[in-house]
Amino acid sequence: MPTFGALPHFTADLQHLTPAQRRRFRRVVLDAFVPDLRTGRRFRPGLRIKGVRCAPGVYELTWAPDGRATWSYGRAMVAGLPHIVWHASGSAPPPVSVRLSPRLAVSAASPG
């Protein structure tokens, strides 16, 4: 089983989800995301995992038709197991410049 960590913003985001949305997020993580991490192969298409354009190393996962979460790989806590750091979650795609940690956020005014 991979290990998980979360940025404070992600923890706050979870509190804004309904209980049903939190259950769905956890179910998708445990029933699809974790098994795909274990295989080491590509993630199943239904998770719609893709990189966040303006934040290298940060990915987006779809956990519901209107539910998204951003995450990255962190430093392994247990040898041989991936460590996932959750950044943000919500019932609509999180804007990159607002939802990522300050060190990863990209200002809309910055070039590139």
Side-chain angles (χ1 to χ4, degrees):
M1 173 78 128
T3 57
F4 296 95
L7 298 179
H9 196 96
F10 176 81
T11 305
D13 285 348
L14 281 183
Q15 299 308 310
H16 290 98
L17 297 177
T18 66
Q21 288 172 320
R22 284 193 296 272
R23 283 191 301 275
R24 184 167 187 163
F25 172 75
R26 287 185 183 106
R27 188 175 66 243
V28 168
V29 168
L30 294 176
D31 294 347
F33 184 67
V34 168
D36 288 357
L37 279 171
R38 284 181 177 156
T39 67
R41 291 180 281 163
R42 295 179 67 100
F43 290 101
R44 65 192 74 197
L47 293 174
R48 296 179 54 205
I49 292 181
K50 60 184 179 184
V52 175
R53 275 195 335 188
C54 296
V58 177
Y59 302 91
E60 179 182 88
L61 169 145
T62 299
W63 54 265
D66 65 345
R68 309 285 186 277
T70 54
W71 60 277
S72 63
Y73 289 101
R75 180 176 293 147
M77 304 304 250
V78 177
L81 295 179
H83 180 69
I84 303 302
V85 178
W86 295 107
H87 292 252
S89 185
S91 59
V96 173
S97 64
V98 176
R99 306 296 267 182
L100 298 178
S101 71
R103 70 180 178 81
L104 295 175
V106 176
S107 168
S110 67

XYZ file of all heavy atoms in Angstrom:
867
model
N 0.859 -1.177 0.000
C 0.000 0.000 0.000
C 0.896 1.229 0.000
O 1.805 1.342 0.814
C -0.875 -0.037 1.246
C -1.691 1.199 1.462
S -3.122 1.233 0.417
C -4.407 1.525 1.575
N 0.662 2.164 -0.929
C 1.456 3.392 -0.922
C 1.193 4.188 0.349
O 0.196 3.964 1.040
C 0.955 4.148 -2.148
C -0.317 3.512 -2.536
C -0.342 2.153 -1.963
N 2.081 5.109 0.637
C 1.863 6.007 1.767
C 1.325 7.331 1.222
O 1.511 7.649 0.054
C 3.156 6.227 2.568
O 4.166 6.734 1.687
C 3.634 4.923 3.198
N 0.651 8.066 2.094
C 0.016 9.309 1.673
C 0.337 10.435 2.639
O 0.471 10.208 3.840
C -1.509 9.152 1.618
C -1.977 8.169 0.593
C -2.243 6.861 0.940
C -2.142 8.556 -0.730
C -2.676 5.944 -0.003
C -2.570 7.647 -1.682
C -2.841 6.342 -1.319
N 0.423 11.629 2.098
C 0.533 12.852 2.882
C -0.404 13.862 2.246
O -0.916 13.641 1.148
N -0.636 14.961 2.923
C -1.540 15.975 2.376
C -1.087 17.364 2.782
O -0.642 17.575 3.910
C -2.957 15.726 2.878
N -1.198 18.281 1.855
C -0.964 19.689 2.167
C -2.174 20.204 2.944
O -3.283 19.681 2.798
C -0.777 20.488 0.881
C 0.415 20.095 0.009
C 0.469 20.951 -1.245
C 1.713 20.211 0.788
N -1.985 21.205 3.771
C -3.113 21.734 4.559
C -4.320 22.132 3.718
O -5.461 21.935 4.127
C -2.509 22.948 5.278
C -1.052 22.664 5.343
C -0.731 21.888 4.092
N -4.063 22.647 2.532
C -5.175 23.063 1.673
C -6.057 21.869 1.300
O -7.275 21.977 1.240
C -4.641 23.749 0.417
C -5.686 24.526 -0.307
N -5.860 25.858 -0.122
C -6.628 24.130 -1.190
C -6.865 26.269 -0.872
N -7.343 25.232 -1.527
N -5.439 20.714 1.047
C -6.195 19.517 0.704
C -7.092 19.101 1.875
O -8.265 18.767 1.680
C -5.246 18.375 0.334
C -5.960 17.082 0.062
C -6.557 16.849 -1.160
C -6.037 16.101 1.034
C -7.217 15.665 -1.415
C -6.690 14.916 0.796
C -7.287 14.683 -0.431
N -6.552 19.136 3.067
C -7.329 18.771 4.251
C -8.548 19.679 4.386
O -9.657 19.217 4.663
C -6.445 18.838 5.504
O -5.295 18.001 5.287
C -7.180 18.371 6.736
N -8.350 20.967 4.160
C -9.470 21.912 4.216
C -10.472 21.626 3.099
O -11.689 21.681 3.316
C -8.959 23.343 4.133
N -9.963 21.309 1.905
C -10.857 21.004 0.784
C -11.764 19.822 1.104
O -12.945 19.831 0.746
C -10.047 20.660 -0.474
C -9.416 21.863 -1.132
O -9.769 23.006 -0.768
O -8.557 21.656 -2.005
N -11.218 18.797 1.743
C -12.036 17.623 2.074
C -13.218 17.997 2.956
O -14.305 17.428 2.818
C -11.196 16.548 2.775
C -10.312 15.684 1.907
C -9.618 14.633 2.749
C -11.075 15.034 0.779
N -13.011 18.941 3.849
C -14.088 19.355 4.745
C -15.213 20.062 3.994
O -16.339 20.104 4.478
C -13.544 20.253 5.863
C -12.508 19.582 6.736
C -12.970 18.235 7.276
O -14.060 18.127 7.831
N -12.156 17.211 7.099
N -14.911 20.616 2.826
C -15.922 21.299 2.030
C -16.708 20.345 1.131
O -17.716 20.749 0.551
C -15.289 22.418 1.199
C -14.822 23.556 2.032
N -13.512 23.691 2.411
C -15.487 24.578 2.600
C -13.388 24.764 3.165
N -14.576 25.335 3.299
N -16.238 19.117 1.002
C -16.983 18.128 0.222
C -18.127 17.581 1.073
O -18.037 17.536 2.298
C -16.065 16.975 -0.200
C -14.897 17.319 -1.117
C -14.058 16.066 -1.369
C -15.382 17.925 -2.425
N -19.161 17.123 0.408
C -20.254 16.477 1.140
C -19.770 15.108 1.615
O -18.794 14.561 1.060
C -21.491 16.285 0.246
O -21.160 15.346 -0.792
C -21.956 17.608 -0.371
N -20.435 14.512 2.604
C -20.043 13.157 3.021
C -20.056 12.166 1.854
O -19.155 11.332 1.742
C -21.078 12.797 4.088
C -21.458 14.124 4.680
C -21.458 15.074 3.494
N -21.032 12.281 0.968
C -21.091 11.373 -0.188
C -19.893 11.591 -1.114
O -19.332 10.625 -1.640
C -22.398 11.570 -0.950
N -19.492 12.846 -1.308
C -18.333 13.130 -2.150
C -17.055 12.590 -1.512
O -16.206 12.036 -2.209
C -18.192 14.631 -2.391
C -19.241 15.204 -3.313
C -19.184 16.710 -3.383
O -18.980 17.390 -2.367
N -19.368 17.253 -4.576
N -16.909 12.731 -0.193
C -15.719 12.189 0.491
C -15.669 10.669 0.349
O -14.607 10.099 0.097
C -15.708 12.601 1.958
C -15.301 14.041 2.173
C -14.989 14.347 3.626
N -16.127 14.208 4.507
C -17.010 15.166 4.776
N -16.864 16.365 4.227
N -18.007 14.958 5.602
N -16.822 10.020 0.505
C -16.857 8.550 0.348
C -16.464 8.156 -1.071
O -15.699 7.211 -1.274
C -18.246 8.002 0.684
C -18.528 7.914 2.167
C -19.792 7.111 2.455
N -20.989 7.672 1.824
C -21.742 8.635 2.343
N -21.436 9.166 3.512
N -22.811 9.058 1.697
N -16.976 8.876 -2.047
C -16.649 8.555 -3.436
C -15.162 8.748 -3.706
O -14.520 7.925 -4.352
C -17.474 9.403 -4.393
C -17.214 9.026 -5.836
C -18.217 9.617 -6.758
N -17.999 9.072 -8.088
C -18.873 9.132 -9.044
N -20.043 9.691 -8.840
N -18.595 8.636 -10.228
N -14.594 9.855 -3.225
C -13.163 10.098 -3.402
C -12.361 8.940 -2.809
O -11.487 8.376 -3.466
C -12.758 11.426 -2.758
C -11.277 11.642 -2.742
C -10.597 11.986 -3.895
C -10.548 11.479 -1.574
C -9.220 12.170 -3.892
C -9.184 11.668 -1.558
C -8.520 12.014 -2.722
N -12.652 8.581 -1.567
C -11.916 7.484 -0.915
C -12.082 6.171 -1.657
O -11.132 5.399 -1.799
C -12.370 7.347 0.536
C -11.846 8.464 1.402
C -12.190 8.256 2.870
N -11.719 9.391 3.647
C -12.507 10.333 4.153
N -13.806 10.267 3.990
N -11.994 11.333 4.829
N -13.310 5.908 -2.152
C -13.558 4.659 -2.878
C -12.729 4.615 -4.166
O -12.120 3.588 -4.484
C -15.046 4.507 -3.178
C -15.383 3.141 -3.745
C -16.873 2.924 -3.936
N -17.397 3.809 -4.961
C -18.304 4.761 -4.752
N -18.788 4.974 -3.549
N -18.725 5.503 -5.745
N -12.685 5.714 -4.914
C -11.903 5.753 -6.154
C -10.422 5.575 -5.846
O -9.722 4.825 -6.538
C -12.171 7.055 -6.936
C -11.167 7.253 -8.051
C -13.596 7.054 -7.489
N -9.937 6.234 -4.796
C -8.523 6.098 -4.436
C -8.208 4.649 -4.074
O -7.238 4.068 -4.570
C -8.143 7.064 -3.293
C -6.764 6.725 -2.722
C -8.161 8.502 -3.795
N -9.027 4.039 -3.215
C -8.739 2.679 -2.747
C -9.026 1.600 -3.788
O -8.314 0.597 -3.853
C -9.522 2.386 -1.469
C -9.106 3.222 -0.259
C -10.022 2.924 0.924
C -7.652 2.987 0.100
N -10.046 1.791 -4.618
C -10.442 0.746 -5.569
C -9.811 0.877 -6.948
O -9.817 -0.084 -7.716
C -11.964 0.728 -5.738
C -12.689 0.311 -4.467
O -12.034 -0.195 -3.529
O -13.927 0.504 -4.409
N -9.264 2.048 -7.293
C -8.691 2.226 -8.627
C -7.277 2.806 -8.585
O -6.354 2.227 -9.161
C -9.601 3.134 -9.471
N -7.097 3.921 -7.892
C -5.798 4.603 -7.876
C -4.715 3.739 -7.234
O -3.648 3.523 -7.817
C -5.952 5.943 -7.151
C -4.725 6.800 -7.132
C -4.220 7.365 -8.294
C -4.076 7.085 -5.939
C -3.101 8.180 -8.268
C -2.958 7.896 -5.898
C -2.465 8.442 -7.079
N -4.978 3.226 -6.029
C -3.976 2.407 -5.329
C -3.646 1.139 -6.114
O -2.459 0.830 -6.301
C -4.424 2.100 -3.878
C -3.551 1.023 -3.252
C -4.392 3.365 -3.035
N -4.637 0.389 -6.610
C -4.274 -0.793 -7.402
C -3.427 -0.455 -8.631
O -2.507 -1.195 -8.973
C -5.628 -1.382 -7.808
C -6.566 -0.941 -6.733
C -6.081 0.443 -6.361
N -3.719 0.671 -9.278
C -2.912 1.056 -10.434
C -1.493 1.436 -10.025
O -0.535 1.130 -10.738
C -3.567 2.209 -11.194
C -4.814 1.768 -11.957
O -5.138 0.562 -11.948
O -5.465 2.638 -12.558
N -1.332 2.081 -8.880
C 0.014 2.387 -8.379
C 0.786 1.104 -8.117
O 1.983 1.014 -8.408
C -0.062 3.195 -7.080
C -0.308 4.682 -7.182
C -0.567 5.262 -5.803
C 0.865 5.381 -7.835
N 0.102 0.116 -7.561
C 0.772 -1.160 -7.230
C 1.300 -1.875 -8.458
O 2.343 -2.514 -8.394
C -0.199 -2.084 -6.484
C -0.416 -1.697 -5.071
C -1.356 -2.676 -4.409
N -1.533 -2.345 -3.008
C -2.590 -2.690 -2.309
N -3.552 -3.391 -2.868
N -2.679 -2.350 -1.044
N 0.579 -1.793 -9.576
C 1.015 -2.516 -10.770
C 2.221 -1.864 -11.418
O 2.983 -2.534 -12.106
C -0.106 -2.599 -11.824
O -0.371 -1.290 -12.327
C -1.358 -3.239 -11.264
N 2.377 -0.549 -11.216
C 3.492 0.150 -11.840
C 3.270 0.422 -13.312
O 4.139 0.934 -14.001
N 2.093 0.081 -13.807
C 1.778 0.339 -15.214
C 0.988 1.631 -15.326
O 0.783 2.334 -14.354
C 0.980 -0.832 -15.793
C 1.844 -2.085 -15.925
C 1.051 -3.219 -16.483
N 0.262 -3.765 -15.351
C -0.776 -4.550 -15.474
N -1.194 -4.896 -16.658
N -1.408 -5.007 -14.424
N 0.511 1.914 -16.512
C -0.285 3.125 -16.737
C -1.554 3.097 -15.904
O -2.115 2.038 -15.639
C -0.648 3.231 -18.204
C 0.554 3.434 -19.105
C 0.136 3.518 -20.548
N -0.646 4.711 -20.806
C -0.161 5.803 -21.356
N 1.103 5.843 -21.720
N -0.922 6.838 -21.568
N -2.013 4.281 -15.511
C -3.274 4.390 -14.789
C -4.432 4.099 -15.742
O -4.355 4.425 -16.925
C -3.435 5.794 -14.199
C -2.498 6.072 -13.069
C -1.355 6.814 -13.261
C -2.769 5.587 -11.792
C -0.486 7.077 -12.217
C -1.904 5.847 -10.739
C -0.762 6.588 -10.951
N -5.481 3.522 -15.226
C -6.658 3.231 -16.052
C -7.233 4.544 -16.605
O -7.195 5.584 -15.936
C -7.700 2.442 -15.273
C -8.302 3.194 -14.111
C -9.105 2.288 -13.194
N -8.173 1.483 -12.430
C -8.488 0.376 -11.780
N -9.720 -0.060 -11.774
N -7.582 -0.303 -11.125
N -7.767 4.502 -17.814
C -8.283 5.713 -18.456
C -9.373 6.425 -17.654
O -9.470 7.649 -17.692
C -8.835 5.221 -19.795
C -8.108 3.949 -20.058
C -7.827 3.348 -18.709
N -10.182 5.695 -16.923
C -11.276 6.297 -16.171
C -10.820 7.289 -15.113
O -11.592 8.159 -14.701
N -9.571 7.181 -14.651
C -9.057 8.130 -13.660
C -8.658 9.459 -14.302
O -8.472 10.451 -13.602
C -7.858 7.539 -12.908
C -8.168 6.366 -12.005
C -6.880 5.784 -11.428
C -9.123 6.773 -10.902
N -8.502 9.445 -15.619
C -8.140 10.646 -16.378
C -6.966 11.398 -15.748
O -6.979 12.615 -15.607
C -9.356 11.550 -16.535
C -10.447 10.886 -17.350
C -11.676 11.741 -17.519
N -11.322 13.039 -18.071
C -12.045 14.130 -17.888
N -13.131 14.092 -17.158
N -11.677 15.268 -18.428
N -5.938 10.660 -15.385
C -4.760 11.285 -14.775
C -3.943 11.976 -15.858
O -3.638 11.390 -16.889
C -3.928 10.256 -14.006
C -4.731 9.809 -12.788
C -2.570 10.831 -13.613
C -4.068 8.816 -11.907
N -3.636 13.230 -15.579
C -2.821 14.012 -16.513
C -2.014 15.021 -15.724
O -2.363 15.374 -14.596
C -3.703 14.714 -17.539
C -4.698 15.670 -16.936
C -5.611 16.265 -17.991
C -6.611 17.195 -17.338
N -7.567 17.727 -18.265
N -0.930 15.465 -16.301
C -0.101 16.465 -15.663
C -0.774 17.830 -15.656
O -1.524 18.159 -16.574
N -0.496 18.600 -14.628
C -0.993 19.974 -14.557
C 0.001 20.830 -15.341
O 1.196 20.850 -15.020
C -1.125 20.444 -13.087
C -1.519 21.916 -13.027
C -2.137 19.582 -12.347
N -0.480 21.505 -16.355
C 0.401 22.195 -17.312
C 1.416 23.144 -16.688
O 2.575 23.138 -17.053
C -0.424 22.982 -18.321
C -0.859 22.153 -19.467
C -1.344 22.924 -20.630
N -1.862 24.254 -20.323
C -2.468 25.005 -21.187
N -2.653 24.576 -22.405
N -2.906 26.203 -20.855
N 1.010 23.963 -15.784
C 1.909 24.992 -15.242
C 2.587 24.573 -13.941
O 3.151 25.421 -13.249
C 1.141 26.289 -15.034
S 0.541 26.987 -16.574
N 2.504 23.301 -13.612
C 3.100 22.829 -12.361
C 3.759 21.473 -12.606
O 3.145 20.423 -12.384
C 2.032 22.735 -11.270
N 5.001 21.468 -13.078
C 5.682 20.207 -13.364
C 5.696 19.288 -12.138
O 5.933 19.728 -11.016
C 7.102 20.642 -13.731
C 6.967 22.074 -14.142
C 5.840 22.634 -13.339
N 5.405 18.017 -12.373
C 5.417 17.031 -11.303
C 4.109 16.932 -10.529
O 3.982 16.108 -9.637
N 3.130 17.767 -10.876
C 1.815 17.718 -10.230
C 0.826 17.139 -11.230
O 0.852 17.467 -12.412
C 1.361 19.121 -9.762
C -0.039 19.068 -9.157
C 2.355 19.680 -8.754
N -0.031 16.255 -10.742
C -0.997 15.558 -11.577
C -2.413 15.808 -11.086
O -2.630 16.122 -9.923
C -0.717 14.048 -11.559
C 0.670 13.721 -12.036
C 1.727 13.642 -11.127
C 0.931 13.522 -13.379
C 3.007 13.370 -11.562
C 2.221 13.250 -13.822
C 3.251 13.174 -12.903
O 4.526 12.909 -13.340
N -3.362 15.614 -12.004
C -4.777 15.728 -11.667
C -5.418 14.357 -11.832
O -5.107 13.635 -12.773
C -5.441 16.735 -12.613
C -6.923 16.899 -12.365
C -7.544 17.860 -13.355
O -7.961 17.403 -14.435
O -7.589 19.058 -13.035
N -6.289 14.016 -10.921
C -7.028 12.763 -10.945
C -8.511 13.101 -10.933
O -8.939 13.998 -10.205
C -6.665 11.947 -9.695
C -7.475 10.720 -9.342
C -6.564 9.679 -8.739
C -8.579 11.042 -8.361
N -9.306 12.404 -11.741
C -10.750 12.596 -11.755
C -11.382 11.524 -10.885
O -11.208 10.340 -11.137
C -11.299 12.491 -13.195
O -10.685 13.509 -13.978
C -12.801 12.665 -13.226
N -12.109 11.940 -9.846
C -12.755 10.970 -8.957
C -14.270 10.984 -9.081
O -14.967 10.152 -8.500
C -12.315 11.166 -7.504
C -12.486 12.533 -6.946
C -11.541 13.517 -6.904
C -13.652 13.088 -6.342
N -12.051 14.646 -6.316
C -13.355 14.409 -5.963
C -14.938 12.601 -6.084
C -14.280 15.240 -5.342
C -15.851 13.428 -5.464
C -15.527 14.729 -5.097
N -14.814 11.911 -9.863
C -16.246 11.995 -10.145
C -16.391 12.842 -11.406
O -15.441 13.527 -11.797
C -16.993 12.639 -8.977
N -17.561 12.832 -12.052
C -17.714 13.663 -13.247
C -17.339 15.127 -13.008
O -16.789 15.777 -13.893
C -19.198 13.522 -13.595
C -19.559 12.160 -13.074
C -18.753 12.012 -11.800
N -17.595 15.628 -11.809
C -17.207 17.004 -11.490
C -16.214 17.054 -10.338
O -16.033 18.089 -9.707
C -18.441 17.848 -11.158
C -19.145 17.382 -9.893
O -18.866 16.255 -9.424
O -19.958 18.149 -9.355
N -15.545 15.941 -10.048
C -14.604 15.882 -8.930
C -13.176 15.677 -9.394
O -12.889 14.764 -10.171
N -12.292 16.528 -8.919
C -10.873 16.445 -9.272
C -10.025 16.563 -8.015
O -10.431 17.176 -7.037
C -10.456 17.594 -10.201
C -11.299 17.805 -11.422
C -11.039 16.741 -12.486
N -11.758 17.046 -13.708
C -13.027 16.745 -13.926
N -13.734 16.159 -12.986
N -13.607 17.028 -15.071
N -8.842 15.996 -8.079
C -7.859 16.150 -7.005
C -6.491 16.289 -7.657
O -6.216 15.657 -8.676
C -7.877 14.954 -6.065
N -5.644 17.122 -7.078
C -4.273 17.242 -7.567
C -3.337 16.595 -6.559
O -3.582 16.614 -5.351
C -3.882 18.716 -7.818
O -4.113 19.481 -6.640
C -4.656 19.310 -8.986
N -2.255 16.016 -7.085
C -1.320 15.258 -6.257
C 0.043 15.226 -6.929
O 0.180 15.557 -8.092
C -1.848 13.836 -6.030
C -2.046 13.062 -7.308
C -3.134 13.104 -8.138
C -1.121 12.159 -7.925
N -2.938 12.283 -9.223
C -1.724 11.691 -9.117
C 0.150 11.710 -7.587
C -1.089 10.788 -9.962
C 0.788 10.805 -8.434
C 0.164 10.349 -9.602
N 1.028 14.811 -6.156
C 2.372 14.618 -6.688
C 3.009 13.434 -5.968
O 2.519 12.986 -4.935
C 3.227 15.879 -6.500
O 3.386 16.165 -5.123
N 4.101 12.960 -6.538
C 4.887 11.936 -5.860
C 5.794 12.644 -4.865
O 6.433 13.640 -5.200
C 5.750 11.152 -6.850
C 4.962 10.231 -7.755
C 4.681 10.593 -9.068
C 4.506 9.008 -7.293
C 3.963 9.757 -9.910
C 3.784 8.168 -8.132
C 3.517 8.547 -9.429
O 2.801 7.719 -10.245
N 5.850 12.140 -3.659
C 6.747 12.692 -2.656
C 7.899 11.740 -2.400
O 7.995 10.667 -3.007
N 8.781 12.122 -1.482
C 9.903 11.271 -1.095
C 9.358 10.023 -0.402
O 8.518 10.112 0.490
C 10.822 12.037 -0.155
C 12.024 11.208 0.299
C 12.974 12.005 1.140
N 13.573 13.039 0.294
C 13.914 14.227 0.741
N 13.719 14.575 1.986
N 14.451 15.109 -0.074
N 9.850 8.852 -0.796
C 9.370 7.588 -0.235
C 9.539 7.562 1.278
O 10.589 7.929 1.806
C 10.109 6.412 -0.865
N 8.503 7.153 1.967
C 8.537 7.013 3.418
C 8.894 5.573 3.799
O 9.435 5.324 4.865
C 7.187 7.368 4.028
C 6.709 8.766 3.643
S 7.892 10.020 4.053
C 7.084 10.830 5.368
N 8.534 4.650 2.912
C 8.841 3.229 3.079
C 9.531 2.787 1.796
O 8.990 2.990 0.700
C 7.556 2.395 3.313
C 7.881 0.924 3.418
C 6.803 2.887 4.546
N 10.709 2.209 1.928
C 11.476 1.799 0.747
C 10.629 0.931 -0.178
O 9.966 -0.007 0.264
C 12.730 1.039 1.179
N 10.644 1.295 -1.455
C 9.946 0.510 -2.459
C 8.474 0.846 -2.633
O 7.825 0.296 -3.515
N 7.924 1.736 -1.799
C 6.510 2.107 -1.924
C 6.389 3.568 -2.325
O 7.092 4.427 -1.775
C 5.766 1.902 -0.600
C 5.646 0.476 -0.098
C 4.906 0.454 1.233
C 4.937 -0.395 -1.125
N 5.498 3.869 -3.285
C 5.324 5.267 -3.654
C 4.686 6.060 -2.515
O 3.896 5.523 -1.733
C 4.398 5.219 -4.865
C 3.750 3.886 -4.825
C 4.647 2.971 -4.054
N 5.051 7.324 -2.414
C 4.446 8.234 -1.443
C 3.714 9.300 -2.237
O 4.299 9.966 -3.089
C 5.510 8.872 -0.546
C 4.941 9.815 0.465
N 4.185 9.388 1.522
C 4.998 11.166 0.552
C 3.810 10.438 2.246
N 4.290 11.528 1.668
N 2.420 9.452 -1.976
C 1.580 10.405 -2.685
C 1.288 11.582 -1.767
O 0.905 11.395 -0.618
C 0.247 9.745 -3.120
C 0.508 8.519 -3.997
C -0.670 10.751 -3.796
C 1.297 8.793 -5.253
N 1.457 12.786 -2.295
C 1.133 14.005 -1.562
C -0.071 14.638 -2.251
O 0.005 15.019 -3.422
C 2.311 15.000 -1.552
C 1.929 16.273 -0.815
C 3.545 14.358 -0.934
N -1.178 14.721 -1.528
C -2.387 15.346 -2.061
C -2.278 16.861 -1.906
O -1.898 17.353 -0.859
C -3.620 14.821 -1.320
C -3.853 13.364 -1.535
C -3.640 12.357 -0.639
C -4.314 12.741 -2.731
N -3.948 11.144 -1.211
C -4.362 11.362 -2.502
C -4.685 13.223 -3.986
C -4.785 10.441 -3.463
C -5.106 12.308 -4.951
C -5.151 10.944 -4.685
N -2.637 17.587 -2.962
C -2.539 19.044 -2.970
C -3.891 19.718 -2.780
O -4.011 20.638 -1.980
C -1.939 19.540 -4.296
C -0.518 19.165 -4.472
N 0.502 20.075 -4.392
C 0.076 17.973 -4.727
C 1.657 19.467 -4.593
N 1.431 18.195 -4.797
N -4.887 19.330 -3.577
C -6.193 19.987 -3.553
C -7.241 19.007 -4.048
O -6.938 18.055 -4.757
C -6.179 21.231 -4.441
N -8.480 19.248 -3.657
C -9.595 18.451 -4.140
C -10.840 19.304 -4.142
O -10.975 20.234 -3.340
C -9.815 17.220 -3.256
O -10.832 16.403 -3.811
N -11.736 18.990 -5.044
C -12.978 19.736 -5.095
C -13.934 19.156 -6.110
O -13.624 18.183 -6.789
N -15.088 19.775 -6.178
C -16.109 19.281 -7.087
C -16.101 20.024 -8.416
O -17.029 19.951 -9.178
C -17.493 19.367 -6.427
O -17.769 20.693 -6.079
N -15.042 20.755 -8.684
C -14.806 21.388 -9.976
C -13.298 21.449 -10.155
O -12.555 21.407 -9.173
C -15.402 22.785 -10.009
N -12.794 21.524 -11.385
C -11.340 21.559 -11.574
C -10.714 22.718 -10.791
O -11.175 23.849 -10.898
C -11.176 21.771 -13.080
C -12.446 21.275 -13.668
C -13.521 21.554 -12.645
N -9.688 22.433 -9.974
C -9.059 23.498 -9.196
C -8.193 24.397 -10.074
O -7.403 23.896 -10.866
C -8.190 22.739 -8.187
C -7.952 21.419 -8.810
C -9.126 21.123 -9.708
N -8.350 25.721 -9.970
C -7.460 26.610 -10.723
C -6.025 26.440 -10.226
O -5.786 26.461 -9.033
C -7.971 28.012 -10.404
C -9.284 27.830 -9.736
C -9.326 26.432 -9.202
N -5.094 26.265 -11.130
C -3.711 25.979 -10.774
C -3.115 27.069 -9.887
O -2.508 26.785 -8.871
C -2.850 25.801 -12.048
C -1.388 25.665 -11.681
C -3.318 24.602 -12.814
N -3.311 28.330 -10.230
C -2.640 29.394 -9.494
C -3.188 29.576 -8.084
O -2.535 30.174 -7.253
C -2.732 30.713 -10.255
O -4.075 31.117 -10.359
N -4.361 29.058 -7.799
C -4.970 29.261 -6.491
C -4.836 28.023 -5.611
O -4.633 28.124 -4.418
C -6.471 29.604 -6.660
C -7.158 29.727 -5.316
C -6.621 30.879 -7.458
N -4.902 26.837 -6.188
C -5.055 25.627 -5.414
C -3.768 24.900 -5.060
O -3.776 24.077 -4.172
C -5.965 24.657 -6.161
C -7.280 25.282 -6.537
C -8.062 25.662 -5.343
N -8.926 24.554 -5.049
C -9.795 24.522 -4.099
N -9.926 25.541 -3.297
N -10.544 23.484 -3.890
N -2.687 25.153 -5.721
C -1.455 24.436 -5.420
C -0.725 25.096 -4.260
O -0.989 26.231 -3.909
C -0.554 24.392 -6.649
C -1.137 23.657 -7.842
C -0.168 23.726 -9.002
C -1.460 22.222 -7.507
N 0.204 24.369 -3.697
C 0.990 24.941 -2.613
C 1.734 26.169 -3.130
O 2.041 26.261 -4.313
C 1.973 23.912 -2.078
O 2.993 23.682 -3.011
N 2.060 27.119 -2.261
C 2.714 28.350 -2.707
C 3.995 28.118 -3.495
O 4.278 28.839 -4.429
C 2.994 29.095 -1.402
C 1.967 28.579 -0.452
C 1.751 27.143 -0.844
N 4.750 27.102 -3.164
C 6.010 26.896 -3.883
C 5.768 26.368 -5.293
O 6.627 26.455 -6.147
C 6.949 25.985 -3.122
C 6.524 24.553 -3.047
C 7.553 23.730 -2.263
N 7.151 22.374 -2.149
C 7.300 21.443 -3.091
N 7.879 21.760 -4.213
N 6.888 20.217 -2.906
N 4.573 25.811 -5.545
C 4.267 25.294 -6.871
C 3.343 26.193 -7.657
O 3.159 26.013 -8.845
C 3.610 23.908 -6.752
C 4.493 22.809 -6.182
C 3.687 21.544 -6.005
C 5.686 22.554 -7.080
N 2.729 27.156 -7.019
C 1.763 28.019 -7.693
C 2.443 28.880 -8.746
O 3.583 29.290 -8.595
C 1.047 28.901 -6.677
N 1.719 29.138 -9.783
C 2.221 29.972 -10.865
C 1.254 31.139 -11.008
O 0.075 30.955 -11.189
C 2.291 29.178 -12.189
C 2.723 30.072 -13.322
C 3.223 27.997 -12.040
N 1.765 32.325 -10.922
C 0.932 33.511 -11.060
C 0.474 33.653 -12.495
O 1.217 33.379 -13.435
C 1.729 34.746 -10.650
O 1.054 35.911 -11.036
N -0.748 34.095 -12.669
C -1.281 34.301 -14.018
C -0.473 35.359 -14.761
O -0.449 35.383 -15.980
C -2.741 34.709 -13.940
N 0.189 36.234 -14.031
C 0.963 37.302 -14.660
C 2.369 36.856 -15.043
O 3.044 37.557 -15.791
C 1.048 38.503 -13.727
N 2.822 35.730 -14.546
C 4.200 35.328 -14.844
C 4.300 34.744 -16.238
O 3.413 34.043 -16.701
C 4.692 34.311 -13.800
O 3.988 33.117 -13.911
N 5.377 35.011 -16.952
C 5.555 34.473 -18.300
C 5.850 32.982 -18.254
O 6.364 32.464 -17.293
C 6.756 35.258 -18.848
C 7.519 35.706 -17.648
C 6.506 35.859 -16.543
N 5.491 32.292 -19.351
C 5.878 30.913 -19.513
C 4.852 30.004 -19.076
O 4.758 28.904 -19.016
